[in-house]
Amino acid sequence: MARPTRDGFDRIGPFHPYFVWAGVLALDLLIIVFVLGALTALGDTIEDAIWPGGVDLVDAL
């Protein structure tokens, strides 16, 4: 049986739980940034279809 850490948490594989939680948080933030970027690009595409011309705040992908 694996030894718990000094904080009383069980290890997740060979890693300390804080390290794994930081990885999950980084993955969640990456997914949020990707979704927000996709929504921004979609909104810009719809805006260009409704009101063509003008200054583009989002460059074409």
Side-chain angles (χ1 to χ4, degrees), residues 13-37:
F15 303 112
H16 192 280
Y18 292 160
F19 182 74
V20 176
W21 294 339
V24 170
L25 179 63
L27 179 65
D28 288 347
L29 290 175
L30 183 67
I31 291 169
I32 290 170
V33 166
F34 178 76
V35 168
L36 289 177

Side-chain angles (χ1 to χ4, degrees), residues 38-50 55-60:
L39 286 174
T40 302
L42 179 65
D44 186 56
T45 302
I46 292 170
E47 182 267 333
D48 285 341
I50 296 172
V55 177
D56 277 339
L57 298 176
V58 178
D59 292 333

Side-chain angles (χ1 to χ4, degrees), residues 4-10:
T5 62
R6 283 182 277 157
D7 302 330
F9 297 117
D10 290 333

